[in-house]
C-alpha cells in the first residue's frame, strides 16, 4: 500500500517551487541587465544597491503600512470620500 503525502505538504511544496522559480528568474534578469550595462557609474550604483543592508525606502510591513495609512487619513489632505473615489477608479 502506498502512502500519500498530505495535501498541505503538497501545497507548501508547490509554493516553494514557484518561489524558487521566481527567484531564479529575477536572478537571471539582474545578471542579464548587469551584463548589458557598459556605464561604470550605473554598475557601481547597482552594486551599492545590492550590497546595502538597509531597507528600501518606503517599503513597509503590513502593520507599518496600516499605521501610515491611518496617519495619512488623519492628515486631512484628502477626505475619506476622495480616497474611496480613487479606489473606485482603480477598481478596488
Amino acid at each position: 500500500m502506498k502512502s500519500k503525502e498530505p495535501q498541505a505538504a503538497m501545497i507548501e511544496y508547490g509554493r516553494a517551487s514557484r518561489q524558487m522559480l521566481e527567484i531564479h528568474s529575477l536572478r537571471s534578469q539582474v545578471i542579464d541587465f548587469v551584463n548589458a550595462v557598459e556605464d561604470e557609474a550605473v554598475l557601481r550604483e547597482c552594486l551599492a544597491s545590492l550590497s546595502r543592508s538597509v531597507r528600501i525606502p518606503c517599503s513597509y510591513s503590513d502593520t507599518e503600512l496600516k499605521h501610515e495609512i491611518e496617519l495619512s487619513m488623519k492628515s486631512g489632505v484628502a477626505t475619506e470620500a476622495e480616497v474611496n473615489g480613487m479606489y473606485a477608479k482603480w477598481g478596488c
Side-chain angles (χ1 to χ4, degrees):
M1 180 167 70
K2 293 182 179 180
S3 64
K4 295 182 179 180
E5 284 195 54
Q7 185 176 5
M10 293 301 292
I11 290 171
E12 189 59 36
Y13 176 77
R15 285 185 191 139
S17 296
R18 280 192 305 275
Q19 186 177 25
M20 289 304 295
L21 286 173
E22 289 172 13
I23 289 171
H24 179 73
S25 175
L26 286 171
R27 186 177 291 133
S28 295
Q29 290 174 30
V30 169
I31 290 169
D32 291 344
F33 174 79
V34 169
N35 287 337
V37 172
E38 298 292 331
D39 187 344
E40 181 181 352
V42 172
L43 288 172
R44 287 187 185 283
E45 186 177 328
C46 287
L47 179 60
S49 294
L50 290 171
S51 61
R52 70 177 169 209
S53 61
V54 295
R55 284 186 1 183
I56 297 172
C58 300
S59 65
Y60 302 103
S61 67
D62 289 341
T63 305
E64 292 169 328
L65 180 59
K66 287 178 185 177
H67 178 68
E68 289 296 322
I69 291 171
E70 287 174 10
L71 291 176
S72 295
M73 294 292 284
K74 291 177 184 176
S75 72
V77 174
T79 66
E80 189 169 350
E82 290 171 325
V83 171
N84 290 338
M86 291 304 293
Y87 280 125
K89 279 186 181 180
W90 299 328
C92 299

